[in-house]
């Protein structure tokens, strides 16, 4: 998804800048996660939601700390995932997942002061016209829309263009002090992107993103892309999954758990009582959320 560049103009500065909703939907859906026609996936009709960073954008960025040991989230750790609305810093969980562009270094530091680890949400497989770096993406790498307003799939074969752009974004995450990266839209090869993407193209690109994150000293999560877990579990430090219970796919995430790596999981269409028992048995970090990924949550 979710759950995430010359467009209609970049937002002013981070704390009130827009973010996009997640790309819900199981990866086995023929139309792919978050595309119109996917079961349980609404087609957005309004612009990106506003996200407000309570700490503001003016704090000095944290300096990179490449020599520090990389964080390794473990199975069963509780988490909060909030990409829209005023960020609620009061949720008593060890892990937060928040937007890369709209979250300031001061807010990351405030979460660290509370003992939280903080994951940096980025879209690495799709272009978003509302991001501050939108104009840096040439038209040649922009494909079909991915079902979300202002977003288009990227030609992930063009690593000559995308590697420096994604490096700059991940360096921003490190400069703000984040502990990890959640790269979204990492399964374009399963979707109608406008490009003849193959599974091999996707493996190559996903591993590139993981290498960039690790070079910056950040942990990195595999978002959805269940089909390639056996090949990618060794490259990624955790997984983020949407709706594996709804689509009866949670068992496919077992390789991450077996490797001692967390699986951060949400459901949108099921009540917590419908999936939490299985989630606990599998040691997933599961909760029920609304599609807009605001502060509301019901954890298992």
């Amino acid at each position: 998804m979710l759950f995430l560049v010359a467009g209609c103009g970049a937002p002013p500065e981070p704390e009130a800048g827009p973010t996009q909703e997640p790309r819900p939907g199981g990866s086995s859906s023929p139309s792919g996660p978050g595309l119109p026609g996917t079961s349980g996936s609404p087609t957005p009709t309004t612009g990106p939601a506003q996200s407000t960073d309570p700490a503001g954008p003016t704090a000095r960025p944290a300096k990179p700390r490449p020599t520090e040991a990389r964080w390794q989230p473990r199975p069963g750790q509780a988490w909060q995932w909030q990409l829209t609305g005023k960020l609620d810093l009061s949720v008593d969980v060890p892990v937060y997942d928040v937007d890369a562009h709209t979250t300031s270094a001061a807010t990351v530091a405030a979460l660290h002061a509370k003992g939280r680890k903080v994951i940096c949400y980025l879209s690495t497989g799709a272009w978003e016209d509302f991001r501050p770096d939108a104009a840096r993406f040439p038209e040649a790498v922009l494909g079909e829309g991915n079902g979300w307003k202002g977003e288009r799939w990227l030609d992930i074969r063009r690593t000559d263009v995308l590697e420096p752009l994604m490096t700059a974004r991940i360096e921003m995450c490190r400069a703000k002090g984040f502990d990890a990266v959640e790269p979204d839209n990492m399964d374009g090869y399963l979707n109608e992107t406008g490009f003849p993407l193959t599974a091999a193209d996707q493996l190559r690109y996903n591993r590139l993103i993981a290498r960039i994150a690790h070079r910056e000293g950040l942990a990195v999560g595999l978002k959805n892309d269940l089909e390639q877990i056996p090949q990618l579990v060794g490259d990624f430090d955790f997984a983020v999954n949407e709706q594996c219970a709804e689509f009866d796919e949670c068992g496919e995430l077992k390789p991450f758990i077996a490797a001692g790596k967390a699986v951060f999981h949400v459901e949108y269409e099921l009540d917590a009582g419908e999936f939490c028992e299985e989630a606990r048995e599998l040691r997933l970090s599961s909760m029920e959320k609304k599609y807009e990924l605001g502060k509301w949550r019901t954890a298992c």
Side-chain angles (χ1 to χ4, degrees):
M1 128 177 39
L2 166 228
F3 230 50
L4 53 130
V5 244
C8 303
E13 268 295 324
E15 80 274 21
T19 70
Q20 188 65 311
E21 295 178 358
R23 290 103 193 122
S27 61
S28 63
S29 168
S31 58
L35 294 180
T38 300
S39 175
S41 176
T43 301
T45 56
T46 60
Q50 297 293 316
S51 175
T52 302
D53 182 341
T58 58
R60 183 186 301 275
K63 292 182 180 180
R65 296 164 295 183
T67 59
E68 290 187 0
R70 191 166 69 239
W71 174 49
Q72 177 57 71
R74 299 301 179 185
Q77 284 187 293
W79 70 309
Q80 166 66 324
W81 194 14
Q82 184 178 347
L83 301 183
T84 66
K86 183 177 180 180
L87 190 60
D88 180 2
L89 305 183
S90 67
V91 182
D92 188 13
V93 292
V95 179
Y96 265 70
D97 190 340
V98 295
D99 188 79
H101 298 276
T102 65
T103 304
S104 68
T107 293
V108 176
L111 287 167
H112 282 160
K114 292 174 174 285
R116 319 301 186 214
K117 295 291 187 181
V118 193
I119 300 172
C120 187
Y121 171 88
L122 284 172
S123 182
T124 50
W127 175 79
E128 302 158 308
D129 66 7
F130 50 89
R131 295 302 190 182
D133 59 354
R136 298 184 61 196
F137 288 73
E139 181 68 24
V141 303
L142 307 184
E144 299 294 331
N146 69 352
W148 297 90
K149 184 177 176 64
E151 296 196 23
R152 295 166 66 181
W153 290 106
L154 290 170
D155 186 353
I156 59 171
R157 301 169 301 170
R158 293 294 309 275
T159 56
D160 58 321
V161 173
L162 296 180
E163 182 172 359
L165 293 168
M166 297 306 162
T167 296
R169 286 182 165 191
I170 292 171
E171 286 176 345
M172 174 188 67
C173 292
R174 165 48 74 194
K176 288 184 175 184
F178 282 95
D179 302 288
V181 177
E182 180 211 334
D184 201 6
N185 294 297
M186 296 282 274
D187 53 4
Y189 78 108
L190 294 173
N191 294 273
E192 297 296 328
T193 63
F195 306 112
L197 303 182
T198 66
D201 294 327
Q202 196 70 60
L203 283 173
R204 190 178 306 112
Y205 187 69
N206 289 3
R207 285 174 172 145
L208 171 64
I209 297 299
R211 286 197 303 274
I212 296 169
H214 288 163
R215 189 170 66 219
E216 293 301 312
L218 300 173
V220 60
L222 180 64
K223 181 70 169 288
N224 296 323
D225 194 15
L226 296 174
E227 289 83 348
Q228 296 187 325
I229 284 176
Q231 297 101 310
L232 292 174
V233 64
D235 298 281
F236 287 81
D237 305 292
F238 59 95
V240 179
N241 176 267
E242 296 165 291
Q243 295 172 281
C244 70
E246 181 179 350
F247 294 97
D248 196 24
E249 298 170 332
C250 293
E252 296 183 42
L253 292 151
K254 288 180 179 179
F256 274 95
I257 301 299
K261 299 176 179 182
V263 173
F264 297 115
H265 160 236
V266 298
E267 294 290 333
Y268 305 110
E269 297 291 336
L270 302 179
D271 293 333
E274 298 179 81
F275 63 88
C276 280
E277 182 177 356
E278 179 190 20
R280 284 190 289 266
E281 289 176 358
L282 293 173
R283 298 174 64 207
L284 307 184
S285 302
S286 299
M287 59 183 172
E288 179 189 349
K289 295 284 290 185
K290 306 298 184 186
Y291 281 115
E292 64 271 16
L293 290 177
K295 67 180 182 179
W296 184 90
R297 68 192 287 273
T298 297
C300 291

